[in-house]
Amino acid sequence: MGKANRQRRRMKEKERKRTTARNSGQTWPASERLPIEERVSLDVATALRALAYHDKRAYAAASARVADQSRSASSRSTTERLLADYLQSVVSGAWHRGWQPVDLVRVVSHQLSKRHVSLAGDAIAAQIQHYIPSTIDPRWTSQLSDLAVQVWWRPDQNHLQAWAQAQDVEWSTVVSCALEVLDLIAGLPDLEKLIPIPGAARPTGVTAQPQRAAIDERVLSRIRALLAKAESSTFPAEAETFTAGAQALMARHSIDHALLAALGQNSSEEPTGRRIGIENPYAEPKAMLLGVVAEANRCRTVWSCDLGFSTAIGFPADLEAVELLFTSLLVQATTAMMHVGSGADGSGRSRTRSFRQSFLTAYASRIGQRLAEATETQTTKAATEPTGRNLLPVLAARNEAVDDAVAAMFPKMTNHVVGSVTNREGWFSGLSAADRAALHDDRELLD
């Protein structure tokens, strides 16, 4: 028994020394070193734990060990491969927790650097290679295309190896970037699954159309052209006409779409969700603007302020209209706000932030009223037409379906009214700008 106890004490003492060495940045004695893969795995886990607990000293020591263990060519290759595998694994885990490519890139860009965004994009491209293309939802593929995420490295390289060479930075910087991306993505919360993850989409004989084609392409082209003209116009009255024409097209297309669905065409269509980025500064009134645009187009929004986006829920054609109009009105509001100027109080002190916050909040409030009025006008007109006898019950059923979808996606959601005003002049300037973005009917643009 005495001999066994002494042996256990010696083993415990060795483990204590190993732990002390790891925490102080020392290397292990050669006789006690683990295989390279085990050492890297252990040190990566130690570094990530230190990041999670904001222990800068422990993180610096662990990341230094990961970099130091790559002195030989074989060790460097093993470390690159393991870190690349970890990055792909954490990206795959994010898909299963409801994240999409554009969501990951957005959150990395908000919290880390452009270099980290580049690394995350390559990890996404590498991970997507594991799936048969026909089992990837077209909306997923569309996001990858918009983000320009693609495999650009040689077949004999892994993505981290190629990225390190392209960045031309110290190996310690490569290790730090990889660890920081791993820490961020691994710590992200669960999101609602809005579209099938890679590998889960059902292969079909006919190529499915991405969600963004929900509006007829001819109508979509006309709407985009009108909004582009509104954004580029330097004449308020002209911009009003173009914006009004685009809104009228959107409202009418939504009504026609609802009636076709009620007659059995597109009968399988259901409400879905789309995440729309809400960028700083002044994220709160921007989220408010998106919310009122969504309400006017029979959609709902849930703002995730910490993650930099709102989730819009509605039928596909309505979601398309919401995103198009929100983007355009945000451009017009920002242009009008900058034209008014930063302003100053009576003492000459800058009040730019409070002025702009109040300006955008007022703009969103008034635009919401005018959009609701425009939608009601179009609905009333359509209901009086022969084909619109059953329109109001159809729209009521679609509103109920959207509310049910919101409740299913966000069962624990609590309502919160956004929008604060601290600057009187900014408020009234915003109201004036919203009034100039008039949304009256313009029949010439609809012909």
Side-chain angles (χ1 to χ4, degrees), residues 22-25 39-40 42-50 55-69 175 179:
R22 287 200 302 271
N23 291 338
S24 63
R39 278 187 282 140
V40 172
L42 180 60
D43 287 330
V44 167
T46 302
L48 293 178
R49 185 167 57 250
D55 188 338
K56 295 182 179 180
R57 182 176 178 180
Y59 168 71
S63 61
R65 287 196 302 274
V66 176
D68 185 62
Q69 290 165 5
V175 169
L179 291 172

Side-chain angles (χ1 to χ4, degrees), residues 234-256:
T234 57
F235 301 100
E238 186 178 55
E240 293 171 12
T241 301
F242 290 135
T243 304
Q247 170 62 20
L249 280 173
M250 292 174 184
R252 186 67 209 199
H253 184 273
S254 176
I255 291 169
D256 292 343

Side-chain angles (χ1 to χ4, degrees), residues 107-120:
V107 76
V108 174
S109 67
H110 282 183
Q111 300 192 31
L112 299 173
S113 70
K114 291 183 178 179
R115 181 173 288 157
H116 295 85
V117 172
S118 173
L119 178 57

Side-chain angles (χ1 to χ4, degrees), residues 348-367:
R349 294 172 297 188
S350 173
R351 51 173 169 70
T352 299
R353 183 167 184 82
S354 65
F355 179 89
R356 292 179 177 178
Q357 179 88 9
S358 299
F359 181 101
L360 290 173
T361 301
Y363 186 94
S365 177
R366 180 57 62 85
I367 281 292

Side-chain angles (χ1 to χ4, degrees), residues 245-444:
Q247 170 62 20
L249 280 173
M250 292 174 184
R252 186 67 209 199
H253 184 273
S254 176
I255 291 169
D256 292 343
H257 207 79
L259 290 172
L260 287 174
L263 293 173
Q265 303 182 39
N266 302 322
S267 58
S268 62
E269 186 179 66
E270 296 179 350
T272 184
R274 179 182 297 192
R275 297 188 186 107
I276 299 174
I278 304 294
E279 303 293 339
N280 281 315
Y282 317 115
E284 186 171 314
K286 290 176 183 177
M288 181 180 175
L289 177 60
L290 176 61
V292 299
V293 172
E295 287 288 338
N297 286 278
R298 303 184 181 87
C299 298
R300 309 288 182 268
T301 59
V302 177
W303 182 32
S304 302
C305 55
D306 294 339
L307 300 175
F309 61 76
S310 281
T311 304
I313 304 96
F315 286 88
D318 297 333
L319 289 178
E320 186 69 41
V322 166
E323 188 166 15
L324 283 170
L325 187 56
F326 167 69
T327 302
S328 179
L329 286 173
L330 188 57
V331 170
Q332 294 182 53
T334 302
T335 301
M337 180 180 67
M338 299 302 293
H339 178 72
V340 172
S342 60
D345 61 18
S347 302
R349 294 172 297 188
S350 173
R351 51 173 169 70
T352 299
R353 183 167 184 82
S354 65
F355 179 89
R356 292 179 177 178
Q357 179 88 9
S358 299
F359 181 101
L360 290 173
T361 301
Y363 186 94
S365 177
R366 180 57 62 85
I367 281 292
Q369 297 172 11
R370 300 183 71 81
L371 286 173
E373 293 169 1
T375 299
E376 182 64 26
T377 297
Q378 291 295 323
T379 303
T380 301
K381 288 181 180 180
T384 61
E385 298 172 359
T387 58
R389 289 192 300 269
N390 298 320
L391 176 61
L392 297 183
V394 167
L395 294 180
R398 288 170 75 87
N399 283 335
E400 184 177 355
V402 171
D403 289 338
D404 289 344
V406 173
M409 290 182 189
F410 301 92
K412 299 180 180 180
M413 180 183 66
T414 57
N415 291 327
H416 173 62
V417 178
V418 300
S420 60
V421 177
T422 59
N423 188 286
R424 185 173 182 274
E425 185 179 350
W427 171 265
F428 286 109
S429 293
L431 293 181
S432 177
D435 285 337
R436 289 196 298 272
L439 301 171
H440 55 76
D441 186 18
D442 191 301
R443 297 185 181 278
E444 291 184 3

Side-chain angles (χ1 to χ4, degrees), residues 61-85:
S63 61
R65 287 196 302 274
V66 176
D68 185 62
Q69 290 165 5
S70 305
R71 290 178 177 176
S72 69
S74 61
S75 296
R76 168 73 172 261
S77 177
T78 300
T79 305
E80 285 175 339
R81 176 176 54 79
L82 286 174
L83 286 175
D85 288 346

